[in-house]
Each structure stands twice: as C-alpha cells, then as structure tokens.
Amino acid sequence: MTDPYAIQPSELDQLPDRDPEETAEWQASLDAVTKAAGPHRAAYLMRRTLERAEGNGIALPKLLETDYVNTIPTAAEPSAPGDEEMERRITAWNRWNAAAMVTRGAKHGVGGHIATFASAAWLYETGFNHFFKGKESQEAPGSGDQLYIQGHASPGIYARAFLDGRLTEAHLDNFRQEAGGDGLPSYPHPRRLPWLWEFPTVSMGLGPLSAIYQARFNRYLTARGIKDLTSSHVWAFLGDGEMDEPESTAALALASREGLDNLTFVINCNLQRLDGPVRANFKIVQELEAQFRGAGWNVVKSLWGNAWDELFQLDTTGALVRRLREVPDAQVQTYQTRDAAYIREDFFGKDPALVELAKLLSDDKILECFHLSRGGHESRKVYAAYKAAVEHKGGPTVILAQTVKGHTLGEGFASKNANHQMKKLSTDEFKQMRDLLELPIKDSDFVDGVVPYGHPGADSPEVRYLQERRAALGGPAPARRTHALPALPAPADKTFASFDKGSGSQNVATTMAFVRLVKDLVRDKETGKRWVPIVPDEARTFGMESLFPSLGIYSPKGQTYEPVDRDQLMYYKEAKNGQILNEGITEAGSMADFIAASTSYATHGEAMIPFYIFYSMFGWQRTADQMWQLGDQLGRGFLVGATAGRTTLTGEGLQHADGHSPVIAATNPAALSYDPAFAYEVAAIVKDGIRRMYGEAAPGEDPNVFYYLTVYNEPIPQPAKPAAPGIDEGIVKGLYRFNTAESAGLSPAANAARIQLIGSGTAIHWALKAQRLLAEEWGVAADVWSATSWTELRRDALDADAALLRGEERVPYVRQALHGAEGPVLAVSDYMRQVPDQIAQWVEQDWSSLGADGFGLSDTRDAARRYFGVDAESIVVAALAQLARRGEVQATAVKEARERYGL
C-alpha cells in the first residue's frame, strides 16, 4: 500500500543531512498531528514554528499568504495619541463637505467621485493627524513627506483644506470648473493647483511607480550629499483595482532590493474597481499579499474592526477564519448589502461549527460586523498599521486596509457596483448621513434643496485641533512649495563654444557630441554635481561608458564584487555616491527617475538637472503617459532620443526605426522638441535650456518645461558654426539659413532657378548633397536651411495667430526668417512628412515635403533612404518637379533625373 505521507523527491535531497534519524522524527511528529488533529492543526503548528524560527534569526523563506485576519492583533495595538472623539468629528465634517461639493457641482454636469474618499477617509485622516510630515517639519525641513493621493479621493482632500482655512466655499463651488481661474482641478494636479498638489496621480499605475522611484531618489540625494532626506517618508495611497495596472507593480522588487524603508503603500481594499468587484471569484487582499511578500515587502493587513474581536474569540475551531478565507470578494460585497438572515444562512450555514457560533450572535452584532466594521474604518487600527510601517526597517511596507466603498453614504451607495459613477446624494440621503455622522446641520439649512457646506467655525475646537496637529507635524499637507531658489550659475561659455569650430575631418555623431558635452558639464565646479545622468541599460550604445569610472553608477550597496573589466580604463564602477542612474531594461523606471529628479527643485528645494538618454523609438512611443505626467508635475530637464530617425539606425529594422517621436512630442505643451543636425546646434540648445529652466528665464518664458532632443548615431564630419549673425537665435527658435548656393562655393548662373531646401537632424546632410547635385548637374541654385525645431516654429506661429485675433500685429518667426527667400520650399526630415508639414500654412513660398512615412525596415542607411525617397537623389527629383510645375526648369528634367538616379 502506498504511504500517503511519503516524501517525494525534493531539492532538499541535494543538501547534507547530518542526522537523518532526527529529521525522520520531526516528519513523523507532523504526520501524527495531521492524523490526530487534522491538517489545519498541523498547519498552525508549522506556522508557529516558522514564526519562532524567524524570531530567533533563522533564515527561512516566508509564507506568501497568511490567514484572512489582521496582521496586528487587537491586544498588540498601540494606544493612539490625541483625541479620538475630536478626530471623529473632524472626519465627519470632511466626509460631509466632500459629498456636498460633488453633489452641488452635479447641477453643472461636471461630475465628481464620492465613494472612494468615503471608504478611505480614516486612511487619510489618521495620517494627517499623526504621521504626514509637512514642509516645515524639523525632521525633514523643506521636504516633509511626499504624499501620492489616490486621484478619486481628491474631494476629501479639498474638504480638509476647507476645514483648515486653505480653501473657501467659493473654491469648493468651483470644483471641476477651472476656466475662470479660481477652480479646483478634478484630480491632484500641480500645474493647475501648484500650491497644493505635488504629484499628479489619476493616470492610474503611475502613482505607485513614481512613489517607488521618488523614495529611491530621496536615498540618492542623501547618498550624494545633496540633501539629508533620512527622515522624509513617501506615502502612496492606491486602490486595489489600480493594482491591475502593470506599472503599479513593475518596480516592487527594486523597492525591496534597495531596502526602501522610507516608503509605504496604503492600498484601499474596498474590493471594488470602477464597475464592479476587483476579484469577484477570488480574494484581492490575499493575491496582493502574496505578490508583495514575494517581492520582499513587509505586509500589514488591517481587515477587520473591533466588532469582530468577539467573533474571533468565539471561534475555537478555526472554522471562522477558514470561512473568511474561502468566501470570494463579490460575496463579501453582497453580505454588506443583505440582512442578518441571509448572512446567517449563506456565511454561517456552510459549517456546523459556524452555525453554533452564530447562535451566540444577535442580528445587530452580525450586521455591525458585516456592514460596518472594517480595519480601514477605525482610527486605532489604521494608526497601528501606520506605526508598524514607519518603524519597520530594512524594506518597504504595504498596508492592505479593507474598507467599504461608499461607507457612510447610505444604503444607496455602500458597496453598489455603480457607486463610482454616482455623483450626488438626494436631500433625504444627506439628512440620513447627517444623523449618522452626528453633525449639527439643521433641516432649514437646506435652502431650495441645495445641500449646505458644514464648518464648525474658524475658532472651533475641531479646527484648532486640526491646525495644532498639523503645526506639530510641520505645517499643512499636502502642500507644494516653489522655493525661491537662486539661479544656478551658467556653465562656462567655453564648454559650449568648443563645438562651434566643428570636428574637421573627424566623423562624429550628434549622440557622441551630446555625451562629450555632458562630460564637460558634469566637471563644472558649480553645477556639475547637480547633473543626473539616467540611462536604461544602453550606456555603451550611446558611448557613455566613459562616464562610469569618473561618475560612478549609483548603488546603495556600492560595489561588492570585482568587475570583470576592472583592468580596463572605462570599467563598470558602482558606488554608494554614484551619480549615474543606470536602470536596467526599464524605460518606465527611467522616466520615473527623471520625474523625481526633474521636480526636486520643488519637492526638496534642490535643483537637479536630469538628462535621460534612450532609444528614441522607446521613449515617446512607450512612455508618453509618463511624459505627460512630467509636464503635469512641472518637471525640468533634458530628454534625449538617441539613435534617432527612421533610416539612421542601420540594420535594426521596424521595431527600432523611429519616424514619429516628434509628432507625439508636439502634442505635449511642456515639451520643447528639437531635432538638431550639428554638434554646435546641440550645444546651443542645451545652453539655452539650462538658462531657461535653471537660470534667468526671459519675461514671458515658462521655466517649467522640458527639452526633447533627437540625436543620431551616424558619424559625419561636424561643420563649423556659420559666422552669420543671429545663428544662435535661429537655433533656439527653430530655423536659420545654414548656407546659400553662393556661400557653398557652387557659383550658380545669374539666372539660375532657385529653391530653398529645409532639413532637420541628419536629413540636412542629404539636403547638402542634393544642393551640390542640383548645382553641378542641373544648374539649379539651392539654399540650405536647418530646422532645429518644427514644433517650436509652429507654436510661435500659433501664438502669432492668436495675437492677431487680439488686435496685435505679430509676424510668425518662420515667415520672418524665410521672407524674401527666392523660389519654392522643399522640406525633408528622417521622420514622417507630418513633422515638417507642421509649419506649411505659415510659409509664403510654394511648399512641398519629403519624409519617411510608413513602417521601418532593416537595411543599410543608403538603401533605407532610397526606399523612403528621402536620399539626396530623391530630393533632387522632388526639387526639379517643384520647379517644373512653376515653369522654371524643363519638365523633361524630372524624367531624366529619375532615370539617371535609378528612381
């Protein structure tokens, strides 16, 4: 007969067993308990043994799941400081005003969300009263804690700001009505309400990702001696449904690996997403616990309120805990809406032991437990969880707090699938809510059916208590401070001027030119330490390995190994105070790094200059949502799309061939998008960016922008900067004439047909070759222009159009620059035609363009350019066709050129 307890082959068979007899005795004891007392008792003993082993410092893997109970038993809960009754009243006022604000706005049709804050109110209020440090905190001066507020909970945050005097009734009445200038944005938004919000979070998933990298960047600033942020804590408030976003959990291992005990996730587990249960047939809390434990996080579950204590004490068989673990989330949601008889039958009736337990409970007790009593709704439970989180050392903590979505809003809201879309309460529902919250609001305060705001008075005990608690913690929160920082000293002019002379006969790609510029800038005595190089595991592709030994790669552990290339000049050097953030293969993580660094001027009062260099194809296409987040958060810095263009990255093919990133970048109002052709243009753009973002911005210039530069990996001799006046202005504004047919030494005939060729990025080299072919083979004079930014030219023209509508006379810069230029215009870039066509309507001359539309492909550069019709010969044919339509060359020249060049 087969022994059911026989041990199967195991990886442990490979380890030495110095006492097999003792091992067999332990196994036999477990078998005996299982037979005599059942598997649940055996599992309990094993878990107690594991718990004792951990307490004795024995290294063992942890269980991924625990029972569906609170991590901190009631008997172990610390006493919360402060006045619990006072905090209850404050929370009641905030609940009321959050619901009133959204309901009053409903008459304007602007919507709003009520149920999320209703479920999470105590999660926020406990933090505001006892944990969240403000900007004036003595422990973290100028920084405080960083709070990533769940976007749909914003009405509750506004309600609290109203109670403490930072907002007025007029502000609340302008919720979601911003056009007049005094409104409140629907969700956390620094660009729309920059004195309150620090972090935009409603694009779900980006909040948790950013919080992890913000906590990590705080450690980076501390390690590099920029600012001591040891006492600054990052709190991210998230929804259980939000955790389905891949970005929400993308960096959990990073947080654990780097021991970020300055980070706490608070996940509001109300078991509902936007349109229904999060895990209808499963249990989201258990799933998240396993996920976070597996990633190495400390997990604190706060599931049940004090009313459950009696039930757990009565559960002498473990049947209650087993039943709680097996009931799916959607059924828990159903219990919250059903009567006691239903709960007796469906929950307790499944196990004889539970039937007997239920006989000891009144209907009121059952309803209190299943309708109201959740860990996330009781301040003492929340306080215990938060205290455990901030005291835990060695790694990040996640708090899984169970709540009821729509709590205190009445039967019409609580746990209903549609409550995310429900924007208002009726007058009767508000009166029921008032009675439940015990608020002194009279029926007569409801005038013409309009719900009143509630406020106990500026000098009331509630407001004084609230303000005293915030004063003790360092001032109001959330709060964003725009520090009056001095302008960073401009780097020496020679750093940039060295590129003006060109490279002579040496072939230099603009990617290499940018890296060389950065190498010079990080050596600057004044600002060098403020540069934050960020790269997603492609530093060698971009020629950045020379920075490794001089700057070091940041690692909280330093370098615990001998690098394989230690004997080489450019070896792989990691250091605790390393300056480079080399993130591995994660564009999303690198962007989160960039956002933290680019907003450090506000978050911490320390201006940092991040540059993030990446495959251009994998920037805007892959992480454009984060680039919007960057603009929303008023970030500053340099995004560098390297190996740019559809035809320039030889051989790589469709998935690497970027022909569209400037189109996507053009949609972001905060992005200044440039496509420089030459090294001196790169230098001029970076110089101007440093001035605008970190130095003295000109009147009317917004410093809260970021620069996007496309640079290329095609080594080409870099020309010297032309000596004509206004070149730097043209580079920054987006267009200047690089040369004329005459200055290029082509000596056109006096009556030669003339055309203007405009190129950007690497395409200008094809235009220059076409200029020569047109002169030498077709007798056509061509002037060549460099368009460093099609997007900035368009934006200037749009501004000029708007000025005209206001009665102001303004001529777009592109029209000024091309004024008087003879002949038609032909534009070309290594991107789709839509990129140069942005400016077509403001060009007075006849316009046509060439571009690399369609999908990319693998081949040589020359073959790819011929395929897309953007090489020099294709430009010649297009130029002749344009001139032929104007009657300035013979029509036969076009056919002849096609045949000569094999097109």
Side-chain angles (χ1 to χ4, degrees):
M1 181 177 177
T2 303
D3 180 1
Y5 298 103
I7 303 300
Q8 300 299 314
S10 162
E11 68 271 14
L12 295 178
D13 296 342
Q14 303 170 81
L15 305 181
D17 186 349
R18 68 180 189 180
D19 193 340
E21 184 176 346
E22 181 183 37
T23 302
E25 289 175 355
W26 277 72
Q27 292 170 337
S29 296
L30 180 63
D31 293 346
V33 170
T34 303
K35 289 179 179 179
H40 298 299
R41 176 63 180 169
Y44 177 82
L45 290 175
M46 288 300 297
R47 289 175 59 186
R48 278 294 192 187
T49 303
L50 288 172
E51 185 178 73
R52 177 59 63 90
E54 184 178 353
N56 288 335
I58 300 172
L60 287 171
K62 293 185 177 181
L63 295 175
L64 292 184
E65 285 187 44
T66 60
D67 285 319
Y68 205 66
V69 296
N70 295 347
T71 302
I72 303 171
T74 300
E77 290 172 1
S79 297
D83 186 332
E84 186 172 343
E85 173 57 24
M86 183 69 74
E87 292 174 15
R88 185 199 66 78
R89 295 205 301 270
I90 291 170
T91 304
W93 285 116
N94 292 337
R95 287 182 181 277
W96 177 272
N97 288 321
M101 175 175 55
V102 174
T103 298
R104 285 166 68 120
K107 66 181 180 182
H108 302 293
V110 294
H113 300 289
I114 306 176
T116 294
F117 178 73
S119 67
W122 277 113
L123 302 179
Y124 290 106
E125 293 299 322
T126 303
F128 285 130
N129 288 328
H130 301 290
F131 291 93
F132 304 156
K133 292 183 285 292
K135 295 291 186 183
E136 287 80 44
S137 164
Q138 293 183 357
E139 297 173 272
S143 297
D145 287 350
Q146 288 78 62
L147 308 180
Y148 288 78
I149 304 295
Q150 190 179 1
H152 294 126
S154 62
I157 309 304
Y158 291 140
R160 195 171 214 274
F162 169 63
L163 204 64
D164 72 11
R166 292 198 291 166
L167 293 176
T168 66
E169 287 193 13
H171 286 119
L172 301 190
D173 269 343
N174 282 325
F175 175 60
R176 290 193 168 194
Q177 299 173 71
E178 299 178 79
D182 295 321
L184 299 180
S186 52
Y187 305 120
H189 207 306
R191 190 167 285 276
R192 290 301 184 202
L193 203 62
W195 60 268
L196 180 73
W197 298 118
E198 283 197 283
F199 309 108
T201 53
V202 83
S203 188
M204 286 189 283
L206 300 190
L209 179 68
S210 291
I212 290 173
Y213 280 89
Q214 181 67 58
R216 196 281 201 90
F217 190 71
N218 290 358
R219 290 285 173 83
Y220 170 89
L221 289 178
T222 302
R224 291 196 53 221
I226 303 293
K227 185 174 185 179
D228 184 357
L229 295 169
T230 305
S231 297
S232 193
H233 202 86
V234 178
W235 301 82
F237 289 84
L238 317 168
D240 46 1
E242 180 179 5
M243 300 311 294
D244 283 346
E245 291 284 6
E247 295 89 352
S248 294
T249 55
L252 297 186
L254 168 73
S256 173
R257 184 169 65 246
E258 299 206 359
L260 298 181
D261 51 23
N262 60 338
L263 171 69
T264 298
F265 276 16
V266 181
I267 302 181
N268 178 16
C269 298
N270 56 35
L271 313 185
Q272 289 183 248
R273 54 187 180 210
L274 305 187
D275 289 319
V278 179
R279 292 289 183 273
N281 296 296
F282 306 92
K283 301 191 80 63
I284 186 60
V285 169
Q286 300 301 92
E287 179 181 321
L288 291 175
E289 178 184 29
Q291 193 169 15
F292 277 88
R293 282 184 181 274
W297 286 53
N298 175 45
V299 178
V300 177
K301 294 196 292 192
S302 183
L303 307 181
W304 307 111
N306 287 327
W308 283 83
D309 289 349
E310 179 184 344
L311 275 69
F312 289 126
Q313 290 168 3
L314 293 172
D315 179 30
T316 58
T317 66
L320 176 63
V321 174
R322 290 196 297 274
R323 180 67 177 139
L324 287 173
R325 185 163 181 164
E326 71 186 18
V327 174
D329 283 353
Q331 192 62 25
V332 173
Q333 181 185 356
T334 297
Y335 292 149
Q336 206 283 327
T337 66
R338 298 300 179 90
D339 59 21
Y342 178 89
I343 298 170
R344 285 182 186 277
E345 178 181 353
D346 193 87
F347 180 83
F348 293 98
K350 304 296 184 182
D351 187 302
L354 291 181
V355 171
E356 294 303 312
L357 187 154
K359 292 178 181 178
L360 304 175
L361 304 175
S362 67
D363 285 356
D364 287 345
K365 182 66 176 181
I366 289 175
L367 293 178
E368 180 186 13
C369 289
F370 283 84
H371 285 193
L372 301 173
S373 187
R374 300 291 188 274
H377 293 326
E378 297 185 12
S379 60
R380 183 171 175 175
K381 302 290 184 186
V382 177
Y383 180 87
Y386 285 8
K387 191 170 189 293
V390 297
E391 291 180 352
H392 178 76
K393 301 303 177 186
T397 293
V398 60
I399 295 168
L400 303 175
Q402 185 163 271
T403 67
V404 174
K405 194 168 184 178
H407 184 59
T408 73
L409 297 180
E411 295 181 359
F413 262 85
S415 279
K416 294 296 192 292
N417 281 337
N419 61 20
H420 186 76
Q421 305 300 327
M422 296 162 68
K423 312 300 183 187
K424 59 184 178 180
L425 278 71
S426 68
T427 298
D428 287 341
E429 287 171 327
F430 265 111
K431 290 178 179 178
Q432 293 170 9
M433 181 182 178
R434 172 201 60 191
D435 296 341
L436 175 65
L437 298 176
E438 300 178 348
L439 291 172
I441 296 173
K442 302 185 294 293
D443 286 354
S444 59
D445 293 334
F446 291 80
V447 180
D448 296 329
V450 177
V451 57
Y453 292 121
H455 200 292
D459 196 40
S460 65
E462 292 91 339
V463 172
R464 288 201 306 271
Y465 181 90
L466 181 155
Q467 293 175 340
E468 288 167 2
R469 292 305 311 141
R470 289 312 314 159
L473 289 165
R480 182 179 182 273
R481 294 285 184 267
T482 303
H483 301 266
L485 299 178
L488 292 183
D493 281 341
K494 65 179 182 180
T495 303
F496 305 100
S498 63
F499 292 86
D500 292 353
K501 62 184 179 182
S503 65
S505 60
Q506 182 183 3
N507 290 333
V508 177
T510 52
T511 298
M512 298 302 101
F514 176 81
V515 172
R516 184 190 135 192
L517 174 62
V518 168
K519 287 176 64 177
D520 292 340
L521 290 170
V522 296
R523 294 192 188 105
D524 186 86
K525 292 182 180 179
E526 297 289 339
T527 60
K529 69 178 183 178
R530 298 193 175 275
W531 284 87
V532 183
I534 302 168
V535 60
D537 201 42
E538 289 278 11
R540 297 182 193 278
T541 299
F542 310 134
M544 290 177 60
E545 65 269 28
S546 61
L547 298 178
F548 288 169
S550 58
L551 300 184
I553 299 166
Y554 170 73
S555 170
K557 288 186 175 294
Q559 194 151 35
T560 62
Y561 61 92
E562 183 177 354
V564 67
D565 53 0
R566 182 64 181 84
D567 57 344
Q568 297 179 15
L569 181 63
M570 294 183 287
Y571 70 97
Y572 196 86
K573 177 186 175 184
E574 296 189 76
K576 291 182 179 179
N577 64 344
Q579 193 164 349
I580 300 169
L581 292 173
N582 192 9
E583 290 302 0
I585 304 174
T586 169
E587 287 84 4
S590 299
M591 270 304 303
D593 264 338
F594 188 90
I595 291 168
S598 70
T599 55
S600 182
Y601 73 93
T603 308
H604 298 304
E606 294 287 347
M608 305 300 289
I609 313 174
F611 77 86
Y612 165 35
I613 188 167
F614 50 88
Y615 263 103
S616 64
M617 183 69 163
F618 306 138
W620 287 88
Q621 175 170 301
R622 176 164 268 172
T623 57
D625 195 15
Q626 286 177 284
M627 290 162 179
W628 274 99
Q629 180 190 6
L630 168 64
D632 291 345
Q633 203 166 317
L634 289 81
R636 306 170 184 175
F638 296 94
L639 296 175
V640 184
T643 58
R646 180 146 280 164
T647 70
T648 306
L649 189 57
T650 179
E652 287 286 1
L654 187 154
Q655 292 179 337
H656 287 65
D658 174 21
H660 52 278
S661 67
V663 177
I664 307 175
T667 66
N668 190 312
L672 276 60
S673 178
Y674 286 90
D675 187 26
F678 305 123
Y680 67 80
E681 293 179 353
V682 172
I685 293 163
V686 172
K687 179 181 180 181
D688 187 70
I690 294 173
R691 174 200 62 78
R692 177 170 177 172
M693 295 185 290
Y694 302 97
E696 297 292 345
E701 278 187 327
D702 182 3
N704 298 315
V705 295
F706 59 93
Y707 283 62
Y708 174 54
L709 281 74
T710 47
V711 293
Y712 298 82
N713 73 326
E714 185 171 11
I716 294 174
Q718 295 294 322
K721 182 193 291 187
I727 296 297
D728 283 351
E729 179 189 21
I731 292 171
V732 172
K733 288 190 172 182
L735 182 68
Y736 69 96
R737 183 158 52 193
F738 176 73
N739 69 15
T740 63
E742 290 77 8
S743 65
L746 298 175
S747 304
N751 61 346
R754 187 173 290 268
I755 190 170
Q756 308 298 316
L757 302 180
I758 304 180
S760 69
T762 196
I764 202 168
H765 299 286
W766 323 330
L768 288 168
K769 181 179 177 183
Q771 179 189 44
R772 190 177 68 252
L773 290 174
L774 283 166
E776 295 175 352
E777 300 185 13
W778 305 99
V780 171
D783 301 336
V784 176
W785 299 69
S786 178
T788 52
S789 179
W790 307 100
T791 302
E792 287 306 295
L793 291 173
R794 175 179 177 80
R795 288 175 177 171
D796 171 79
L798 289 171
D799 288 344
D801 286 355
L804 286 173
L805 294 176
R806 296 192 300 268
E808 303 171 18
E809 289 296 329
R810 234 187 95 190
V811 179
Y813 175 78
V814 64
R815 186 167 294 172
Q816 295 177 45
L818 289 170
H819 180 69
E822 185 180 346
V825 168
L826 175 60
V828 61
S829 80
D830 203 13
Y831 296 94
M832 55 197 302
R833 288 177 59 183
Q834 187 175 340
V835 175
D837 283 349
Q838 291 180 85
I839 66 169
Q841 72 186 81
W842 293 280
V843 173
E844 294 178 336
Q845 294 86 349
D846 290 343
W847 172 272
S848 65
S849 63
L850 297 174
D853 287 77
F855 289 107
L857 77 168
S858 300
D859 215 310
T860 64
R861 292 185 180 112
D862 289 342
R865 287 163 186 166
R866 176 57 57 91
Y867 174 85
F868 285 109
V870 293
D871 60 348
E873 291 79 6
S874 297
I875 294 173
V876 169
V877 171
L880 292 173
Q882 204 172 3
L883 291 168
R885 286 194 295 271
R886 294 163 55 95
E888 296 177 16
V889 301
Q890 295 294 322
T892 56
V894 181
K895 181 175 182 294
E896 182 183 346
R898 283 201 306 269
E899 293 173 350
R900 180 181 301 183
Y901 301 135
L903 297 176

